[in-house]
Amino acid sequence: MDLNALGACFATSACVVTQTTSGLIVGMLLFLVAAGVTLIFGVLKVVNFAHGTFYMLGGYVAYTALGVTGSYAVAVLAGALSMAAFGVAFERALISRVYGSNVLMQLLICYAVVLIFDDLVKIIWGPEFHAMGMPPAFQVPPLFIAGGVVPPFYAVLIGIAALIAVILGLGLSMTRLGKTVRAAAINAQMVSALGVNTTLLFTIVFAIGGGLAGLAGALAAPVRSLSPGMGFSVLIESFIVTVIGGMGSIPGALVSALLIGLVRGFGTIGFPQFTDGLIYIVMIAILLLRPQGLFGRRL
Amino acid sequence: MKENRRPAMREAAIAALALIVVLAIPFVHRSPAFEDFVIRLSAMALFATSLNLLVGNTGMVSFGHGLFYGLGAYAFALMMQMTELSLPVAAVLAVLFTAVAALCVGAICVRLSTDYFAFITLAFQMLIYSVIISWQSLTGGDQGLRGGLPRREIFGFELASQLHLYQFCAVVAVIGLLALRHISASPFGQTLRMIRDNDSRTSFLGVVLWRARLWAFTIAGSFAGLGGVLAALFVSGAYPELADWPNSGQAIFAVMLGGINSFLGPLLGAAILLALNDLLARTTEYQGLVLGIVVLIFAVGLRRGVLDFLRRAWPSSLR
């Protein structure tokens, strides 16, 4: 614990800007993953323990796509779209078999998928770490904001994630599909009785969730290295975000993802050994005060 | 509920018989691999069966049960290394310590509904895991507690000897499982099942839900701690992996593979899982891949644990 360093950081604008930026990046990427988790839980009442695998595979697919095409934009699209397709296959082939049955059966299936794909990644891409490297377009001098160093790629990353957050929020509140999704989250049987094809709707939700995780994986690949077990820590954090925000709430996911990101950003200064522990303490504290999460409905 | 009218004497007799068979095996045929397996199984069986007191009996899905397994192991190993206490005293104190920890964690967790309960238990586990990793001066950090446990003999048993450790673990495990069986068949155990099946009705009948759940949580944590003590004896120390998330996942696997509605399900599941892990470790580099496929076959094919499946297929032959 080093509270003096934390105090010194808050005293200089450069340090505040740098840590806030790194916090926002962590937070925005987490939001993309957690939005999928919370959406899938909200509508399907399935806790998708395989969501970290979507994130990991998105990163690896983007890595390969970049190697083949040389275009980062294509790589990101490939990561997102392939994981949307993977989400559909996963939902149809496995999850749809255990709707409404024991929660533990869903957990077991998801965990089996995690184990299988961690090893498949080892077989296909090898067990070693891969560094994707910064796309050429972003290999330019960093921006300086109030003395803090902000690489342009970070700014773009935050921008893209913020844009997705807005699209997701507007899509859910304005479009017909979004309204149906929200209705299904409240009462799927009723929506089905009104003539909506809920089987298709569930699959679409899984595709969106998978696509978002794949997008996050592809966007994160240049700033983090790729490794076979990388999905797990993201999974745990996205669950924490989901739970803090209130399960099923997209605005909750956004707020708590940014909160966790900032706790991480500044926690590394003040509690370098205990940053992870700090996040669990935040979660426990919030659940003690609001058991249903910040934006959750009373269960 | 026919099974619950079985006299306690009969269960004790079955347990004693099982214990005699297990203890007799090394006198007929010595196999270090088998003895190793039984030692590890005894720790894991206590861990998984205690988890099932929460999951199967009470309907409380805990993702953080490994916390108490790890705490038991660390408390016991630290007490053995840092004090002159004899082994049984250290073991009892370690279980008591785990019980107190479970009481404190449970007091916070048990009021939450299912999904949130699962996640907050996981958060507590990850919190303690990060404490273990970062408190290097006490726990040795990610290297684990090294230096081994002092070899103090108890009642003429020398636990450095594999045979004696085997006998000790088998006795502790059978007694522990028998105790858990009695708890689950007791009126308190019936209350827990009632809570699982319909908590609001149970509440109307005058049961204080949080108190019953907290008791269940504390008892389950203590028995997991006992399993952790055996694990610490086996590895002669303690490692952060014992308190890590995948370990809780293994226990949930064991419970699900064996069957949540059968008392011996978790024991069978733990045996299947350990045997599968051993077999895969010897034959393939990609254990996760094969294990995942096997688990998928269980989950999608049987849709319930082995014993639950058998009980449904032949209800008359198995209670």
Side-chain angles (χ1 to χ4, degrees):
Chain A
M1 190 159 53
D2 194 353
L3 291 178
N4 290 335
L6 191 60
C9 179
F10 276 119
T12 60
S13 62
C15 182
V16 170
V17 169
T18 310
Q19 296 310 316
T20 307
T21 312
S22 76
L24 283 180
I25 290 208
V26 172
M28 281 312 212
L29 289 174
L30 260 183
F31 166 70
L32 292 182
V33 185
V37 173
T38 213
L39 202 59
I40 290 171
F41 176 81
V43 179
L44 287 74
K45 306 290 177 252
V46 168
V47 178
N48 182 20
F49 259 81
H51 215 72
T53 300
F54 288 71
Y55 170 86
M56 171 184 73
L57 290 177
Y60 273 99
V61 169
Y63 174 76
T64 300
L66 183 68
V68 173
T69 65
S71 158
Y72 183 64
V74 172
V76 169
L77 274 181
L81 293 180
S82 63
M83 284 310 106
F86 183 67
V88 171
F90 177 62
E91 194 269 345
R92 282 291 90 207
L94 296 173
I95 293 294
S96 62
R97 293 172 191 273
V98 288
Y99 281 139
S101 84
N102 200 327
V103 180
L104 282 167
M105 274 304 155
Q106 299 167 353
L107 167 69
L108 210 55
I109 286 180
C110 290
Y111 199 51
V113 167
V114 172
L115 288 176
I116 290 171
F117 279 92
D118 274 359
D119 267 4
L120 280 183
V121 164
K122 274 185 215 162
I123 293 170
I124 299 172
W125 283 282
E128 67 278 359
F129 281 73
H130 287 293
M132 185 158 164
M134 199 58 77
F138 294 102
Q139 288 172 353
V140 290
L143 309 170
F144 287 92
I145 301 173
V149 181
V150 180
F153 183 71
Y154 286 19
V156 170
L157 213 59
I158 296 172
I160 293 177
L163 185 67
I164 300 281
V166 171
I167 293 174
L168 203 58
L170 288 181
L172 275 176
S173 58
M174 313 284 263
T175 65
R176 187 175 172 80
L177 175 67
K179 287 174 183 168
T180 317
V181 165
R182 282 189 299 145
I186 294 167
N187 191 336
Q189 271 183 324
M190 183 64 80
V191 170
S192 174
L194 290 172
V196 174
N197 182 348
T198 45
T199 310
L200 181 64
L201 188 72
F202 285 1
T203 310
I204 291 173
V205 167
F206 236 99
I208 295 172
L212 286 174
L215 177 72
L219 288 177
V223 284
R224 295 180 189 171
S225 56
L226 297 166
S227 66
M230 68 189 265
F232 180 70
S233 56
V234 173
L235 173 75
I236 295 286
E237 283 197 24
S238 66
F239 276 153
I240 292 175
V241 164
T242 308
V243 170
I244 292 180
M247 295 180 80
S249 163
I250 297 278
L254 181 61
V255 170
S256 58
L258 293 179
L259 175 70
I260 291 297
L262 291 177
V263 168
R264 258 200 188 289
F266 288 97
T268 47
I269 306 264
F271 307 87
Q273 298 288 319
F274 199 59
T275 320
D276 287 335
L278 216 54
I279 288 166
Y280 306 123
I281 290 178
V282 169
M283 168 176 173
I284 291 164
I286 288 180
L287 283 192
L288 280 178
L289 297 173
R290 269 186 77 83
Q292 71 275 36
L294 294 176
F295 289 65
R297 283 190 302 269
R298 189 82 210 160
L299 290 172
Chain B
M1 286 283 135
K2 192 169 61 173
E3 61 188 296
N4 296 314
R5 284 207 302 266
R6 275 199 304 169
M9 283 304 290
R10 198 177 136 200
E11 276 162 23
I14 294 173
L17 193 68
L19 188 58
I20 289 168
V21 171
V22 173
L23 290 181
I25 289 173
F27 293 103
V28 179
H29 175 68
R30 291 287 321 254
S31 155
F34 172 75
E35 284 159 26
D36 236 39
F37 181 80
V38 171
I39 294 170
R40 284 180 295 141
L41 178 61
S42 61
M44 183 138 183
L46 280 173
F47 181 28
T49 310
S50 68
L51 175 63
N52 198 35
L53 185 70
L54 294 179
V55 175
N57 280 30
T58 327
M60 301 160 79
V61 182
S62 168
F63 288 165
H65 205 53
L67 163 59
F68 304 112
Y69 190 65
L71 272 189
Y74 269 95
F76 174 70
L78 279 172
M79 257 185 282
M80 288 295 278
Q81 285 187 346
M82 294 167 73
T83 68
E84 294 294 315
L85 294 171
S86 73
L87 191 148
V89 176
V92 169
L93 286 180
V95 172
L96 279 180
F97 175 79
T98 323
V100 172
L103 186 70
C104 297
V105 172
I108 295 173
C109 300
V110 295
R111 291 164 195 261
L112 296 172
S113 59
T114 316
D115 294 303
Y116 288 92
F117 173 78
F119 288 116
I120 201 168
T121 48
L122 179 61
F124 268 108
Q125 163 156 24
M126 299 305 284
L127 175 64
I128 298 298
Y129 177 73
S130 7
V131 170
I132 289 174
I133 292 285
S134 52
W135 196 349
Q136 293 215 352
S137 57
L138 181 71
T139 63
D142 51 9
Q143 297 291 312
L145 262 188
R146 295 178 153 206
L149 299 182
R151 296 168 180 182
R152 285 177 211 136
E153 68 173 46
I154 46 162
F155 317 128
F157 279 90
E158 173 60 69
L159 292 184
S161 131
Q162 196 195 22
L163 179 63
H164 286 181
L165 184 59
Y166 169 89
Q167 291 162 339
F168 179 77
C169 287
V171 170
V172 171
V174 169
I175 293 175
L177 290 180
L178 189 63
L180 273 170
R181 172 68 210 180
H182 275 288
I183 292 168
S184 99
S186 71
F188 173 67
Q190 306 271 24
T191 309
L192 296 184
R193 270 187 288 278
M194 203 157 72
I195 292 177
R196 175 195 67 192
D197 293 338
N198 190 335
D199 58 353
S200 40
R201 189 175 292 175
T202 314
S203 177
F204 293 148
L205 287 172
V207 174
V208 183
L209 290 180
W210 71 265
R211 195 181 293 155
R213 284 188 172 131
L214 183 55
W215 269 111
F217 196 83
T218 308
I219 292 169
S222 318
F223 278 93
L226 183 62
V229 168
L230 297 187
L233 278 172
F234 176 67
V235 298
S236 195
Y239 297 92
E241 286 75 28
L242 293 173
D244 200 3
W245 191 87
N247 213 8
S248 293
Q250 292 263 321
I252 293 179
F253 265 20
V255 169
M256 295 302 298
L257 287 181
I260 60 170
N261 293 318
S262 318
F263 178 76
L264 290 179
L267 172 68
L268 178 69
I272 296 175
L273 200 61
L274 273 180
L276 207 56
N277 277 333
D278 286 1
L279 187 71
L280 295 180
R282 253 181 284 139
T283 50
T284 168
E285 192 185 336
Y286 301 108
Q287 300 168 37
L289 181 64
V290 184
L291 184 65
I293 291 171
V294 171
V295 169
L296 266 192
I297 292 169
F298 268 94
V300 178
L302 294 185
R303 298 205 183 195
R304 56 185 70 83
V306 175
L307 278 190
D308 287 349
F309 181 79
L310 291 177
R311 272 162 42 136
R312 189 168 286 209
W314 294 283
S316 55
S317 62
L318 295 138
R319 286 168 316 278

